[in-house]
Amino acid sequence: MGNGVREGPVEFQRDVEPVTARIPAEDNQEKKKVLNSLMSGALAGAVAKTAVAPLDRTKIMFQGSSRADLSPQEAYRLIYHTYLNEGFWSLWRGNSATMVRVIPYAAIQFCAHEEYKQILGNYYGFQGKALTPFPRFIAGSLAGTTAAMVTYPLDMVRARMAVTPKEMYSSIVHVFIRISREEGLKTLYRGFTPTILGVIPYAGLSFFTYETLKKVHAEHSGRAQPSPPERLLFGACAGLIGQSASYPLDVVRRRMQTAGVLGHTYSSILLTMQDIVREEGLVRGLYKGLSMNWVKGPIAVGISFTTFDLTQILLRKLQHGPGLDR
């Protein structure tokens, strides 16, 4: 009897301790995973957008105007004249506003994508395995929509700074103040609907294409992970497909965002499209700047996906040691 009393508590503690210790460990792992995704996404967005900032500003300027379609030659000519007239760093005008927007946007988008993949994987029974095509597209669309909803006013500010002379807006805060006073707070969400409608196919197809190419690569090459140049190529393909599918809505969004400073009035998506098509034609209007976007877009998306993946791998190796690849 005495021996039984002594052994009982010992056995009870041996059974309970692993259970109580496992729950905090799992919580810590999940927190680390989310933090890694946020940090990797923020870096990916910052690097990619800074690399293509001059081309991005040029595209916004053409989208917001009624000029003819932007060819690569015209784009480079505009960049050169901007450099001569305003200086080298003017090519990155508005990039500070872009960073304020793109860092949280990319962080939220990539982190949300990882979480949505896990949620959909659990729902469809693909735990630990690659999703099938439809859930893969849905995960990307939901990730892009989530990020766009949170950061949209910053996108409006970036667009205004890109198409106006530096004397008009002295800082990001100045843009917010002037828009609020002169046009109303509602203006900060002008163009929000076409943004969301454009993000659904853009983010969905971008993530879908990139994840699909990595999956096909693994099946046919026998290597679990693609090399950095292969990741850049897969990301470029993803950007090309995603941006081409959603480009007309991107033009409409820019027109609505910059209407207040360029002397136009656009009250809805359909009316904006009708005005653009009537004044400039279907292709020249709604696909203005697409030729340059086929240069800028794949570069930006390729850098973004590659930076995210490699940063994730690096952070995991730092935390857990070598041998853990994405």
Side-chain angles (χ1 to χ4, degrees):
M1 174 95 47
N3 291 338
V5 171
R6 285 193 304 271
E7 292 175 4
V10 175
E11 290 299 317
F12 177 77
Q13 290 176 358
R14 191 180 299 129
D15 291 338
V16 171
E17 283 178 359
V19 176
T20 56
R22 187 166 60 245
I23 295 174
E26 290 178 354
D27 288 343
N28 287 337
Q29 284 298 109
E30 184 62 27
K31 288 178 181 177
K32 286 182 180 179
K33 177 186 171 185
V34 171
L35 183 60
N36 286 356
S37 295
L38 288 171
M39 292 173 61
S40 302
L43 182 62
V47 171
K49 277 297 184 180
T50 301
V52 298
L55 291 173
D56 207 25
R57 185 193 176 195
T58 304
K59 184 197 74 170
I60 293 173
M61 292 170 69
F62 271 82
Q63 284 181 331
S65 73
S66 58
R67 295 177 61 178
D69 186 30
L70 174 63
S71 67
Q73 292 81 6
E74 291 171 326
Y76 301 140
R77 191 177 300 117
L78 178 59
I79 290 172
Y80 180 66
H81 284 300
T82 302
Y83 161 71
L84 290 179
N85 296 329
E86 302 180 39
F88 178 75
W89 293 113
S90 67
L91 297 174
W92 276 265
R93 173 164 168 74
N95 195 51
S96 58
T98 300
M99 290 299 101
V100 172
R101 168 192 169 267
V102 82
I103 288 175
Y105 180 92
I108 293 169
Q109 179 176 239
F110 278 106
C111 182
H113 182 247
E114 295 297 306
E115 295 303 309
Y116 285 131
K117 281 200 303 182
Q118 182 174 324
I119 292 170
L120 291 170
N122 293 336
Y123 180 80
Y124 285 100
F126 296 115
Q127 295 93 331
K129 299 179 182 179
L131 295 175
T132 52
F134 181 69
R136 205 177 301 153
F137 174 82
I138 294 299
S141 296
L142 289 173
T145 301
T146 301
M149 291 176 66
V150 174
T151 62
Y152 185 77
L154 293 168
D155 187 48
M156 160 67 84
V157 170
R158 189 274 296 252
R160 283 293 181 91
M161 292 188 74
V163 301
T164 55
K166 57 185 177 182
E167 295 80 14
M168 186 168 185
Y169 297 120
S170 60
S171 66
I172 297 170
V173 175
H174 189 208
V175 181
F176 276 109
I177 293 173
R178 285 198 61 173
I179 290 177
S180 301
R181 286 178 178 174
E182 299 173 8
E183 303 174 57
L185 288 173
K186 187 178 179 181
T187 302
L188 292 173
Y189 281 88
R190 182 179 292 159
F192 178 72
T193 302
T195 296
I196 295 300
L197 293 177
V199 158
I200 291 172
Y202 170 67
L205 286 171
S206 295
F207 279 105
F208 168 82
T209 303
Y210 185 68
E211 295 286 328
T212 299
L213 289 174
K214 288 204 302 182
K215 182 175 181 292
V216 171
H217 171 272
E219 291 173 350
H220 287 81
S221 69
R223 291 185 286 121
Q225 298 300 324
S227 65
E230 288 170 334
R231 291 181 193 271
L232 282 170
L233 178 61
F234 298 162
C237 292
L240 186 65
I241 293 172
Q243 292 190 349
S244 296
S246 61
Y247 196 79
L249 286 165
D250 189 43
V251 174
V252 171
R253 170 175 64 121
R254 293 302 182 201
R255 288 296 180 89
M256 296 181 75
Q257 286 177 336
T258 58
V261 293
L262 296 178
H264 297 286
T265 302
Y266 298 121
S267 57
S268 69
I269 297 173
L270 288 178
L271 289 177
T272 304
M273 281 190 169
Q274 288 176 3
D275 286 345
I276 292 172
V277 172
R278 183 176 62 252
E279 295 174 7
E280 306 163 47
L282 178 63
V283 175
R284 287 183 174 274
L286 293 180
Y287 289 91
K288 177 176 297 176
L290 180 59
S291 57
M292 190 182 67
N293 223 48
W294 282 341
V295 176
K296 178 191 76 72
I299 294 173
V301 178
I303 292 174
S304 181
F305 277 124
T306 302
T307 303
F308 177 79
D309 278 359
L310 296 182
T311 306
Q312 283 277 81
I313 292 171
L314 176 62
L315 290 174
R316 290 178 182 178
K317 284 183 177 179
L318 290 174
Q319 291 173 358
H320 303 290
L324 287 174
D325 284 347
R326 176 176 163 78

